[in-house]
Structures are given as structure tokens and as C-alpha cells.
Amino acid sequence: MDLGKTILLTLILGLIILFSIIPTCFSAKNKSDKALQNLTPNVPQEPWMQSTIPEGGSIYSILEKSGIPLPEIARFSYQFGNYIDVTTLQPGDTLRVIFDPDSQKITKAMFTQEPTIRHHFKTESDTLRYEKELLPVSLQTRIINGELNNTLDSTLLALGLHPYEKQQINNGLEGDINFQTDARNGDKFSILIEERIFEGKRMPRAKILYVSYEGSRTGFHELFRYEEEEGAVVNGLYNKEGKARSTSGVGYPLGYIHVSSTFGRWVNPISGRWEFHTGYDYRASYGTPVYSVANGVVTVSSYNGGWGNEIRIKHPSGMVTQYAHLSTLGVRTGHAVKKGQVIGRIGSTGYSTGPHLHFGLMQGGQWISPANLRMVGAEKLSSAQMEKFKLMQDKIRQQLEQAPA
Ligand SMILES: [Zn+2]
């Protein structure tokens, strides 16, 4: 073999090797790109559909607008409510979903609230996997001093308070002060507020830690925040002695509240069709005690079709409350019950997709929204709670001295 042939053969062999390597190089590069995408899950690489909750909008209405079939809306919304208390949804919150036309399923979703809380969902088989991501916020306590000008509502809103914050203050003070007769323009109030700051902006739903109010006819009143675990119904404003100022006489049917469905038009999780939901669904684990929200007489305590084990109680005001899907019935028809008495246990009887309480409220023979009922966690804190509350009051007083106005 002469030198020229050897060079030519080496060249050909080299080219063959090179071309067999190139595709491997390209696919290796593709693989590393995919690995990179997996490391950055918050950067959407797939076609997301995004909707923003409008005023008065619901999770059902925005999913329907995306053209997703009703049975899938039913499945997704029901499981969504198990992770997110739907009463915390606010206009402006955004839902992004990936809908797979082959499986007819929402394969991924991200729900962003206010905008620091991101809820990530992923469908695996028929189950929604869930992960919560909290973006770092800084907490800031601040004193707001003000003088009454016209109504308390308008004064608080003019000071830049969010409607939800205004409502906490209002509910707290109304139990003690008759604003109709005793409030006067120029009455003075102070509020200690704990705000979450994100990218220089304050987020809504701040915590009200303290409220004082002083007027010539009202006298001086102080309220302090008592707090247990998140969602505990006792969390709220109390006076120094641990009495809740807002005394509507109505309590909560459970010790911890997580609303998975509200009153009104919904896509029924069982039928997969638009229907009217006549009460609130509260998520709770199997066997959790259920309380009567007020004194009354049991008018129904039996198995009742779709409601499963159902209790209805008639209260002196004429209002009727309903507790459905119970696992056990603890009271009989005709029994008198007291507010806060255990009447049964959480279950999933009747047409039910999982353990929860369906709570209905009837007035004049019509179901009305339980949102109309002002429930109070505790009228008076227990002595064990009072010990914790005294320490909380001391801390709040210190914060009052240190907080900037
Ligand atoms: Zn229900």
C-alpha cells in the first residue's frame, strides 16, 4: 500500500467515525437541555392557559371559559378545594393550567395568590399531587392612628385598609360599641397591624393585632388578637378578659375551618354537571366532632338519600341548620341541643366524594348562604387559653411601644 492510499483510507475512516459521532453529540445536547428544564419547574415550557379570577368569579367559571369539559372541571375543582380554602380566593388571583386533549385531563396547574403564594398541582393517574411554594415576604408591624369621619367603614377604607382587614376591626368593635347612637366624628382609634411586604408592596389580608377606640360617649375599649394554629376558629380579637366582642350567639360547626366549596352555582363533583350547591362544604378528617352552631331542637336525625346521615336543628330565631354526610348521628329527633354540643362525627355517607361536612342554612324555607351567618369562634377563652393570651397581650403591648406609626 502506498502512502497516498493510506492517507485516503485514513481520511475516509475518519469521516465515517465523525458522522457516526455527530448525531450522538446532538442527542446528548438535547438530553442536557431537558435536564435543565426539569431543574427550573417554574419556567413554563408547555402551552399554559392562564385565567385571572374576576370580581364574583369562581374556579368553575374560569375553567369553563378555558373550554375544559365539565367532568374534568368537576374532578379538578373538587380536589383543588381540598388543598385551598376557596374563601381565600380573591379577584386578581391567577390559575394556569395545561390541558391534555388526549387524556382529557388537566395534567398540571399553578394557582397564584396575592402574588406570593404559588400552589402547584400535577395529575398522576386521577389524583392531584400538590405542593405549596411561598415566596419570601418580610413582616412589618405598623400603627395606624385615625379619627372617625362619617362611618367607621369609610374611615378605615380611606386609611388604605383592605375590606377583609376592615371587617375584622368592625366585627371586633361592633359587639361593644353602638356605632349608630354613640360614635361621634373625631373619636380616636389606634390599630396595630402586621403586614407582609413583597417587592416593596403590602399584601392584603394583614393581621390585626390590636385595636383601641375612644370616644366621648363610647368610653375606652381595647381588643387584642388571640391566635392558635392556622385555621383555628378561636383566632381573633378579644378584650383583656378574653371575651369576644362580636357576640352573634352563633358558633362554628367544627374547630378548624377549611372551606372546600361555597354556596351557589358549582360543577357537582359526582354528576359532573352545573348545579346549585345549597351550603358550604368543610374539609375535615373522618371522625372529627361536629358541633351545633347554636341552641335549638333536633328536627331531623336520620339517613336521608344523597345527604347520607343528616341532622337538622331548628333554632329559636326560626333559622334551621343542616349537617350532612356524617359517619355517626349523636342526637335524636326531638332532642334539645346546646350551642357547641357534639351532635355527630364527620363522614362521607350519601352522595359524597370524601370525608367532609356539608353545612346548610335555611331561613323561611329557603337555603341561604352560610356566609350570612356571623360565626364566632369562642365567646370566652378557656382558662388554659387565657394563660397563653396574657403572654400574647404582653408581646402586643411591647410591639405597640416599638412599632412605627
Ligand atoms: Zn355540599
Side-chain angles (χ1 to χ4, degrees):
M1 214 187 275
D2 65 48
L3 189 66
K5 272 186 180 168
T6 314
I7 290 172
L8 194 68
L9 268 176
T10 316
L11 207 66
I12 291 168
L13 206 69
L15 279 175
I16 291 169
I17 292 167
L18 189 68
F19 277 106
S20 63
I21 285 172
I22 286 172
T24 328
C25 292
F26 278 132
S27 63
K29 189 177 173 289
N30 280 349
K31 264 181 203 147
S32 73
D33 267 5
K34 274 202 183 118
L36 205 69
Q37 284 174 18
N38 290 341
L39 287 173
T40 52
N42 296 332
V43 181
Q45 300 287 341
E46 290 146 284
W48 291 80
M49 294 194 280
Q50 176 168 335
S51 345
T52 301
I53 295 196
E55 195 74 53
S58 69
I59 197 87
Y60 308 106
S61 63
I62 62 172
L63 286 173
E64 192 188 32
K65 281 209 183 82
S66 309
I68 293 168
L70 287 183
E72 179 57 3
I73 295 178
R75 181 196 74 90
F76 181 82
S77 314
Y78 159 69
Q79 296 191 37
F80 178 91
N82 274 339
Y83 294 113
I84 296 168
D85 182 326
V86 293
T87 59
T88 66
L89 268 55
Q90 291 171 66
D93 291 349
T94 58
L95 178 69
R96 299 195 299 165
V97 299
I98 294 174
F99 179 70
D100 172 33
D102 295 333
S103 64
Q104 295 281 299
K105 293 248 181 292
I106 294 169
T107 51
K108 267 188 201 168
M110 181 170 129
F111 182 61
T112 309
Q113 285 185 298
E114 50 168 66
T116 62
I117 313 167
R118 291 174 178 170
H119 308 272
H120 301 276
F121 298 94
K122 213 168 136 187
T123 299
E124 282 170 11
S125 311
D126 258 358
T127 310
L128 218 51
R129 302 260 169 246
Y130 171 75
E131 210 174 300
K132 189 173 182 177
E133 181 190 5
L134 297 171
L135 301 191
V137 289
S138 57
L139 291 180
Q140 173 187 292
T141 47
R142 178 165 71 97
I143 299 175
I144 299 169
N145 293 309
E147 282 187 13
L148 190 73
N149 180 17
N150 198 9
T151 67
L152 184 62
D153 262 23
S154 60
T155 310
L156 294 174
L157 290 175
L159 283 168
L161 286 157
H162 187 259
Y164 168 83
E165 298 154 0
K166 179 212 76 177
Q167 205 54 44
Q168 287 181 67
I169 298 165
N170 246 337
N171 290 352
L173 288 173
E174 267 177 4
D176 210 35
I177 296 167
N178 186 339
F179 280 91
Q180 298 267 314
T181 57
D182 295 341
R184 293 288 179 274
N185 279 347
D187 286 0
K188 287 183 169 46
F189 59 83
S190 286
I191 300 157
L192 181 69
I193 184 170
E194 185 187 275
E195 298 165 306
R196 290 165 307 129
I197 310 293
F198 178 70
E199 290 178 346
K201 273 192 249 160
R202 67 177 298 257
M203 296 292 108
R205 289 183 167 255
K207 255 179 213 172
I208 309 299
L209 300 176
Y210 171 89
V211 182
S212 72
Y213 190 97
E214 185 163 30
S216 54
R217 285 177 65 111
T218 63
F220 181 66
H221 301 274
E222 278 183 307
L223 303 169
F224 297 82
R225 182 170 172 89
Y226 174 78
E227 193 172 285
E228 290 182 1
E229 277 172 67
E230 202 185 323
V233 298
V234 288
N235 293 351
L237 292 166
Y238 294 83
N239 74 3
K240 271 191 289 189
E241 285 76 42
K243 280 196 183 133
R245 289 314 204 179
S246 185
T247 49
S248 61
V250 179
Y252 285 91
L254 296 164
Y256 290 83
I257 289 298
H258 174 113
V259 179
S260 52
S261 300
T262 51
F263 181 89
R265 254 166 70 77
W266 76 337
V267 182
N268 185 311
I270 290 180
S271 71
R273 284 196 293 265
W274 278 107
E275 284 172 23
F276 199 88
H277 188 224
T278 56
Y280 267 27
D281 286 344
Y282 294 112
R283 181 198 75 184
S285 50
Y286 195 88
T288 303
V290 176
Y291 311 112
S292 172
V293 298
N295 295 347
V297 174
V298 178
T299 55
V300 173
S301 178
S302 60
Y303 194 91
N304 200 354
W307 295 125
N309 284 323
E310 184 200 21
I311 290 172
R312 290 190 192 196
I313 296 170
K314 186 163 186 169
H315 304 283
S317 63
M319 157 182 106
V320 173
T321 51
Q322 176 203 26
Y323 313 77
H325 310 303
L326 303 171
S327 57
T328 56
L329 300 166
V331 288
R332 289 201 187 139
T333 304
H335 275 182
V337 289
K338 291 246 176 282
K339 175 186 170 185
Q341 184 179 332
V342 177
I343 53 170
R345 300 267 167 186
I346 289 288
S348 186
T349 54
Y351 300 146
S352 169
T353 37
H356 75 283
L357 174 71
H358 173 97
F359 177 76
L361 175 65
M362 194 178 257
Q363 219 143 34
Q366 297 281 321
W367 294 118
I368 61 165
S369 173
N372 291 311
L373 211 53
R374 191 192 286 172
M375 296 169 177
V376 178
E379 264 154 25
K380 172 92 181 76
L381 295 177
S382 70
S383 53
Q385 289 170 325
M386 275 308 287
E387 275 180 41
K388 284 188 264 172
F389 187 41
K390 291 242 168 70
L391 298 174
M392 289 178 197
Q393 287 185 31
D394 291 345
K395 195 183 162 209
I396 289 169
R397 290 222 185 269
Q398 277 173 20
Q399 285 174 302
L400 276 170
E401 281 166 24
Q402 291 156 3

